[in-house]
């Protein structure tokens, strides 16, 4: 474990260094702090968009689901891939063309200041819950690795992430996301290759999986699994391509870079949907009792299967690199939440409050307030994660799905449908959310999975089928009932009473108008490539040093190859600084 500790420590130092290097670029204005001034290149934005959707849940709760149920878990991540495809085809460049610094400013342009205030408060609270789930997942995994108390682990990790986030703003967040994407990629690919070799190839991986690879155990009605996949597609579009989550693409330097960023995120997510889960799929047949030693995690013990694979079948030091990747994933998600909340508070709550009182303040003071808000938000996330750790009866995957389908989807329905439907009354968004929460409550208390299937003569379902049916019913309810209600509000639209009509018209006109970077962009581009190229060089050097760790020859070669791959990326970045575009 000594080498694992050493790898994690050195990785933390690198991430802190990234925060320091890019902190100056985030200290010029609140726009720089919130979204890098809208001057980031597509490969930075794309990797950040990818990492924003990627968290420690992938290597913990989702890996546990893959270990237990086989290929089914890929439906969730293929849904992410489809959502990013839709982003490339339609959404990403339009989000950039809103010409705003924060997502709630886009909501204000579309729905008016009253809805901006409503969504600002609601989305800040929701971010506590969502980031809390991510941090809790990392706490579960880390506590298993280091055999520590989950609550203490969550607090320590949360405070570390908080420090880096407050220091560097969006430039540091996105820059670290890019480096972290490389870490996640090399760890995932290395683990997948070793897993396939150990299990004897893809054919054995599929054929030897207990309970059937495609369907998995405890699934008497495969049609439910198919339905889950189908309904994951609209669910992920709703939760990823909406006015709130437009923050993924507000950083891009122009419309073209925003589209390319979505394409990169789609490719990374598509490949990852398979590569990430090869180790737990292999472990199901190679190490069926892998998680029996994690009794302290209760029903969440299965979520530690990825670490057990890395510790037992990978070279020494890989587990530490994996932990660094997990920290990277959660730090990315939590960083984004903290930075986004700071922007929402300052631009949509604090500044309007000052304006009403005819008060003004400097952008420098607003920047300091942004950092204070990030700190408070981070403490709130730690508290939420600590609370989730007390819910022993829920697996991490179930917890993530519950928060997403029951709370997130109804909140995002009007923020997606509102991009397409222009003529809606002022009250449409928040009344739609109320309807959506009622739909979620109904699935839990009235039209439960058991009640629904009884209409078709099915007497009972397995626990796995109940979970999947709950997802199907909730998403279907929100697509047809919640979404249908928002569309129907057009019948009550009165143009004469629409006080936001002129701004709404300008908003939809801007959505169609490409954004082109100004002539000052070239210097910023070179800074991004140069600084990140240097950081990638350092990362490749660190992984190359792992080759001296006592391991078999194949293990040492694995680290050398990973280092060379990362070094080549740094070389291309450094070389591209000679180009203007």
């Amino acid at each position: 474990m000594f080498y694992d500790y050493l790898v994690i420590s050195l990785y933390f130092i690198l991430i802190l260094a990234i925060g320091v290097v890019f902190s100056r670029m985030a200290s010029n204005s609140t726009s720089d702090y919130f979204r890098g001034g809208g001057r980031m290149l597509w490969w930075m934005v794309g990797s950040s968009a990818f990492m924003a959707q990627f968290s420690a849940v992938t290597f913990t709760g989702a890996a546990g689901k893959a270990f237990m149920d086989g290929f089914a878990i890929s439906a969730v991540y293929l849904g992410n891939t489809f959502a990013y495809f839709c982003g490339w085809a339609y959404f990403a460049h339009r989000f950039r063309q809103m010409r705003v610094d924060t997502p709630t400013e886009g909501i204000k342009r579309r729905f008016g200041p009253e809805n901006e205030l409503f969504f600002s408060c609601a989305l800040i609270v929701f971010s506590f819950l969502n980031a809390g789930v991510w941090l809790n997942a990392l706490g579960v995994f880390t506590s298993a690795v280091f055999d520590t108390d989950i609550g203490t682990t969550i607090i320590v990790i949360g405070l570390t992430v908080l420090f880096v986030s407050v220091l560097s703003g969006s430039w540091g967040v996105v820059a670290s996301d890019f480096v972290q994407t490389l870490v996640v990629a090399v760890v995932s690919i290395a683990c997948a290759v070793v897993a396939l070799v150990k299990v004897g190839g893809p054919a054995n991986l599929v054929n030897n999986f207990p309970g059937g690879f495609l369907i998995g155990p405890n699934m008497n009605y495969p049609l439910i699994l198919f339905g889950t996949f189908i309904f994951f597609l609209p669910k992920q579009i709703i939760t990823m391509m909406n006015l709130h989550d437009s923050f993924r693409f507000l950083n891009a330097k122009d419309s073209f870079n925003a589209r390319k960023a979505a394409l990169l995120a789609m490719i990374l997510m598509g490949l990852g949907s398979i590569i990430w889960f090869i180790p737990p799929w292999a472990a199901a047949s190679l190490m069926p009792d892998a998680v029996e030693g994690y009794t302290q995690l209760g029903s969440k013990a299965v979520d530690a299967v990825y670490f057990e694979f890395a510790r037992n079948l990978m070279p020494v030091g890989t587990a530490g690199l994996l932990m660094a990747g997990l920290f990277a994933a959660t730090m990315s998600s939590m960083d984004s939440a903290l930075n986004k909340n700071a922007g929402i508070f300052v631009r949509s709550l604090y500044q309007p409050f000052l304006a009403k009182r005819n008060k003004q303040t400097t952008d420098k003071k607003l920047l300091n307030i942004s950092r204070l808000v990030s700190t408070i938000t981070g403490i709130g996330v730690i508290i939420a994660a600590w609370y989730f750790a007390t819910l022993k009866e829920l697996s991490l995957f179930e917890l993530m799905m519950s928060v997403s389908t029951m709370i997130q989807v109804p909140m995002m329905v009007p923020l997606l449908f509102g991009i397409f439907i222009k003529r809606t009354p002022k009250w449409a968004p928040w009344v739609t959310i109320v309807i959506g929460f009622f739909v979620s409550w109904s699935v839990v208390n009235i039209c439960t999975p058991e009640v629904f299937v009884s209409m078709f003569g099915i007497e009972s379902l397995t626990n796995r089928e109940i979970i999947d049916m709950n997802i199907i019913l909730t998403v279907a309810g929100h697509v047809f009932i919640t979404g249908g209600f928002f569309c129907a509000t057009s019948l009550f639209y009165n143009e004469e009473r629409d006080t936001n009509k002129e701004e709404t018209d300008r908003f939809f006109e801007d959505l169609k108008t490409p954004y082109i970077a100004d002539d000052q962009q070239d210097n910023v581009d070179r800074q991004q490539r140069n600084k990140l190229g240097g950081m990638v060089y350092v990362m490749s050097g660190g992984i190359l040093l792992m080759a001296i760790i006592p391991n078999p020859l194949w293990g040492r070669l694995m680290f050398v190859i990973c280092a060379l791959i990362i070094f080549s990326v740094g070389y291309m970045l450094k070389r591209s600084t000679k180009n203007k575009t």
Side-chain angles (χ1 to χ4, degrees), residues 263-281:
L263 184 63
L264 175 62
M266 181 194 77
I267 294 171
L268 292 173
M269 189 64 68
L271 294 175
S273 298
I274 303 300
I275 293 173
W276 289 326
F277 303 118
I278 290 176
W281 287 335

Side-chain angles (χ1 to χ4, degrees), residues 178-179 182 532-541 566-567 569-570 573:
F178 179 76
V179 175
L182 295 178
L532 266 181
M535 289 297 162
V536 172
Y537 276 161
V538 174
M539 172 64 75
S540 66
I566 293 178
F567 178 85
V569 174
L573 288 174

Side-chain angles (χ1 to χ4, degrees), residues 494-505:
N494 187 326
E495 185 173 320
E496 295 180 355
R497 296 182 179 179
D498 187 358
T499 57
N500 198 59
K501 183 179 184 304
E502 291 185 6
E503 184 60 33
T504 300
D505 290 340

